[in-house]
Amino acid sequence: MKNILIVSGHTNLNNSVANKKILEELRKRLPNAEIDYLDKLYPDYRISVEKEQEKLLKAEIIVFQYPVFWYSMPSLLEKWMEEVFQHGFSHGSTGDKLKNKKIIVSLTTGAPKEAYNNIDDFLNPIKASAKLCQMEYIGSVVTYGVSYQIRNDKGKEIEEKAINHADRLIEMINNV
Ligand SMILES: Cc1cc2nc3c(=O)[nH]c(=O)nc-3n(C[C@H](O)[C@H](O)[C@H](O)COP(=O)(O)O)c2cc1C
């Protein structure tokens, strides 16, 4: 089995249904994967660059797991990437530490699928960053329509979607 690092970018998993359930499934079904719960590790947003870079060095497959916030990644994951993907580490003439590592983007949205013409367009910054770092972008796994506004009425439905999301993500990982 390859070394897998799942970076959870949710800003507060205590207030999550979809991402929490997806991560629970992944923890059960990929027991050897390392799950990086950024909200638990860095509630103050003070990220340990050294520790995070060590985790990246060990990983062969890196998964970004997050809820879409403002058509992008949550601030915590954005900050993690800004600080950890350092010039000379991940990119630049001497920065090749992420070279040939695989990256998968795994995300949930509040809006339904019909609201997105092509959600992959919103992933272009991640794809371009991966290219700059000589990483291989494998693909995305998306679950639409799991808004926090409907969780009281549709909690069960969201959990089922989350299990299906974990199935698709594990299949993508297994095919790498
Ligand atoms: C600050 C904020 C911004 C959001 N922006 C978007 C958005 O741009 N597009 C979208 O489809 N959903 C958006 N949502 C909805 C979240 O993506 C949705 O609630 C989340 O995927 C549910 O996952 P969770 O149960 O793990 O929190 C936003 C939610 C918050 C709190």
Side-chain angles (χ1 to χ4, degrees), residues 10 16-19 67-71 108-111 116 146 148 151:
H10 202 292
S16 159
V17 176
N19 283 260
V68 168
F69 282 1
W70 290 109
Y71 300 100
T108 63
T109 76
Y116 289 91
V146 288
Y148 59 96
R151 62 173 50 153

Side-chain angles (χ1 to χ4, degrees), residues 20-37:
K20 187 157 83 184
K21 185 71 183 166
I22 291 167
L23 289 162
E24 276 170 15
E25 285 296 307
L26 297 176
R27 203 180 50 176
K28 265 193 281 174
R29 293 163 59 185
L30 297 173
N32 296 323
E34 172 153 24
I35 305 187
D36 208 10
Y37 298 98

